[in-house]
Amino acid sequence: MSFKDLKISKPLLRAVAEAGYDNPTLVQEKTIPLVLEKKDVIVSAQTGTGKTAAFALPILQSLLDKQDAPKKGKTIKALIVSPTRELAIQIENNFNTYCTYTNLRTTVVYGGTSIEPQKDILKKGIDILIATPGRLLDLHKQDVINLDYVETLVLDEADLMLDMGFIDDVKKIERLCTRDKQTLLFSATIPHKVEFLANTILNNPERVEVAQNSSTSKNVNQWLYYVPKRNKIELCLHVLRNTIKGNIIIFRRTKFGVDKLEKTLLKNGYKVDSIHGDKSQTTRQDALNRFKKGEVNILIATDVAARGIDINELDAVINFDLPNIPETYVHRIGRTARAGNSGAAYSFCSADEKNYIKSIQQLIQLQLDIIEEHPYPLDPKAKPIIHKSTKTGSKHKKRRKSVASKKKKKRWY
Ligand code: AMP
């Protein structure tokens, strides 16, 4: 099947060809016709499958088809909501590429940067808006955004959106748009809460599923090291010295962990950068750009900061901390071995993470290959270290947290 068969017209075909896309990917083949038919759709697909174009191209096509209609001035006709800023920026870049030979205008708004320049662009009028939930609602409250003309609403990475606590924001945004809009929900996985959200806001949706969410690529060699927690940094240095070469992402669960490992690797002469939720947007974007350009070959990240980001040519993933949600393992290692290349994933498991490994192996229906020959083996009888609280009494306090203390609370991702 070609893009032409999917009823994509010349200006878009030209841009897509220049971007090097020969044929549509599977998710595009299945999704584009449904979107053009104005159906609500739930798509379960991960980054790397071409899902952005699966919604961007038919949205642009529909807008082009309508361009002969009397001009009302530019109003937001498509709204794409993304949980993270990096992903929002990436989606806008894709739209801009596909829009090259049209006069459709796109912009992206997200938090962590000055709001005024975003207001100025919005006031000039745009057709397509890509936004993170918080900033979108902020701008709406300030009356800079009018969602009365939205014909298509896209919720991208819906599972992550809910994990990050955006459920109320998403519902609010949905209500701010017109009732008869088309809604498209994209999610790497469809857990109950996503299904529930879909049931409340989508209208008789069609479903597209492109890959088994629990499957990991056959081209990824997956290795497992059992190691005491205190020796993980030494093990990491050991494998970087002796085993892994090339472009590597190291996943840690918390931003504190990311910072600590980054310092150690820098001290040891590695070219490293990092991303997590506490860094400013520009710093995060700079880090990503440096990694993509090859100025650094190691990127340390939390799951939330790295989710959805399209990074090609990754040689290996290190799971420095194992994820407590097994699907996260699949997302992480799905970043390597793209486009038929082979890749490798190395997981470090300490005594307290053995249960995580069990669930991961159950999900992927595969036993990871255990590397026993390394300098920091874990005593098989080692018990998890449990940090006991010295506080007495019930851990469930009766009092509610004050507003000030809630404000002080830092994000962990
Ligand atoms: P996504 O899953 O949307 O993040 O896309 C992953 C990568 O695939 C991006 O770099 C896209 O530019 C690229 N891509 C999307 N559609 C196609 C296609 N039909 N042919 C080749 N590459 C594509």
Side-chain angles (χ1 to χ4, degrees):
M1 192 178 274
S2 68
F3 282 107
K4 214 171 167 185
D5 298 330
L6 291 172
K7 305 209 169 60
I8 299 298
S9 63
K10 267 192 190 148
L12 299 178
L13 287 176
R14 188 170 162 203
V16 160
E18 282 175 14
Y21 302 1
D22 295 329
N23 290 305
T25 63
L26 188 61
V27 69
Q28 291 161 5
E29 259 184 50
K30 291 186 175 184
T31 312
I32 291 174
L34 298 171
V35 181
L36 287 174
E37 281 173 40
K38 293 282 163 202
K39 299 246 166 73
D40 280 7
V41 194
I42 302 176
V43 183
S44 103
Q46 300 187 5
T47 304
T49 53
K51 68 183 174 70
T52 315
F55 61 79
L57 291 175
I59 286 176
L60 293 169
Q61 186 58 50
S62 302
L63 295 180
L64 287 178
D65 289 343
K66 279 194 160 181
Q67 273 200 329
D68 290 338
K71 285 204 178 103
K72 293 184 218 148
K74 294 227 180 254
T75 52
I76 300 167
K77 288 172 280 295
L79 171 64
I80 292 92
V81 185
S82 146
T84 70
R85 299 161 187 174
E86 282 83 0
L87 186 58
I89 295 169
Q90 193 174 287
I91 297 171
E92 203 229 356
N93 287 340
N94 284 19
F95 265 98
N96 279 338
T97 305
Y98 311 142
C99 273
T100 313
Y101 301 105
T102 73
N103 54 9
L104 295 168
R105 275 224 291 267
T106 309
T107 198
V108 58
V109 297
Y110 48 82
T113 47
S114 166
I115 201 165
E116 291 308 321
Q118 298 180 354
K119 281 187 187 171
D120 293 340
I121 296 175
L122 287 165
K123 278 177 195 159
K124 284 184 195 143
I126 49 146
D127 302 284
I128 299 145
L129 177 64
I130 298 120
T132 52
R135 178 57 60 98
L136 174 68
L137 289 172
D138 240 15
L139 285 159
H140 186 270
K141 217 165 156 187
Q142 297 186 33
D143 236 0
V144 198
I145 285 179
N146 180 358
L147 300 178
D148 291 348
Y149 299 94
V150 170
E151 292 164 17
T152 307
L153 168 68
V154 181
L155 303 174
D156 198 16
E157 300 276 353
D159 51 351
L160 183 59
M161 201 108 73
L162 300 192
D163 285 348
M164 288 173 76
F166 286 132
I167 178 78
D168 291 335
D169 286 354
V170 168
K171 286 185 177 166
K172 213 183 274 176
I173 291 164
E174 191 274 332
R175 284 196 303 267
L176 291 172
C177 302
T178 47
R179 287 195 94 192
D180 54 357
K181 69 189 168 303
Q182 170 186 41
T183 307
L184 311 173
L185 184 147
F186 284 74
S187 197
T189 56
I190 314 278
H192 286 307
K193 52 187 177 184
V194 172
E195 194 71 52
F196 189 72
L197 175 73
N199 284 339
T200 34
I201 63 175
L202 271 72
N203 186 11
N204 210 2
E206 299 279 340
R207 284 171 189 268
V208 170
E209 199 171 322
V210 280
Q212 270 290 317
N213 292 319
S214 55
S215 71
T216 50
S217 165
K218 288 192 191 75
N219 295 336
V220 186
N221 293 312
Q222 301 174 57
W223 311 107
L224 176 62
Y225 293 77
Y226 284 107
V227 56
K229 199 171 214 122
R230 63 175 185 282
N231 293 124
K232 278 194 176 185
I233 289 197
E234 283 105 324
L235 177 65
C236 186
L237 289 167
H238 172 79
V239 294
L240 288 175
R241 254 182 241 124
N242 302 294
T243 317
I244 316 177
K245 297 277 166 289
N247 289 330
I248 305 157
I249 292 195
I250 305 179
F251 283 101
R252 296 222 55 178
R253 240 157 47 81
T254 64
K255 57 185 186 178
F256 306 105
V258 169
D259 286 342
K260 194 170 162 204
L261 183 63
E262 183 180 14
K263 271 188 205 137
T264 311
L265 294 190
L266 285 172
K267 245 194 247 161
N268 281 270
Y270 288 97
K271 289 186 189 157
V272 192
D273 225 316
S274 68
I275 50 173
H276 61 60
D278 245 16
K279 297 204 166 198
S280 79
Q281 193 48 42
T282 0
T283 318
R284 282 158 69 168
Q285 205 57 42
D286 286 351
L288 266 181
N289 290 341
R290 273 198 292 276
F291 186 68
K292 284 185 178 178
K293 280 195 231 150
E295 288 167 21
V296 299
N297 70 317
I298 302 176
L299 185 71
I300 313 172
T302 55
D303 291 298
V304 170
R307 177 81 172 268
I309 291 165
D310 178 35
I311 297 170
N312 293 321
E313 292 166 35
L314 198 61
D315 297 294
V317 167
I318 299 179
N319 296 307
F320 191 103
D321 302 310
L322 287 176
N324 53 356
I325 301 168
E327 282 82 6
T328 304
Y329 177 86
V330 181
H331 295 314
R332 287 183 180 183
I333 79 156
R335 305 180 155 279
T336 178
R338 290 237 177 114
N341 295 329
S342 65
Y346 301 82
S347 299
F348 298 172
C349 177
S350 54
D352 56 333
E353 292 173 313
K354 284 184 177 170
N355 278 340
Y356 299 161
I357 270 295
K358 239 194 210 160
S359 332
I360 290 167
Q361 295 187 140
Q362 259 169 16
L363 177 77
I364 62 174
Q365 299 274 298
L366 193 85
Q367 295 294 309
L368 305 184
D369 287 320
I370 301 170
I371 306 264
E372 284 172 351
E373 292 299 305
H374 69 86
Y376 313 99
L378 177 70
D379 175 358
K381 288 188 225 114
K383 292 264 183 311
I385 303 163
I386 297 165
H387 295 285
K388 279 194 185 145
S389 163
T390 47
K391 286 181 196 158
T392 49
S394 163
K395 66 176 183 174
H396 302 291
K397 285 189 192 150
K398 283 203 182 99
R399 267 171 298 137
R400 280 176 176 268
K401 280 189 177 163
S402 69
V403 175
S405 106
K406 274 187 195 160
K407 267 193 188 154
K408 244 192 252 164
K409 188 172 179 288
K410 286 197 169 165
R411 288 188 287 170
W412 56 268
Y413 49 80

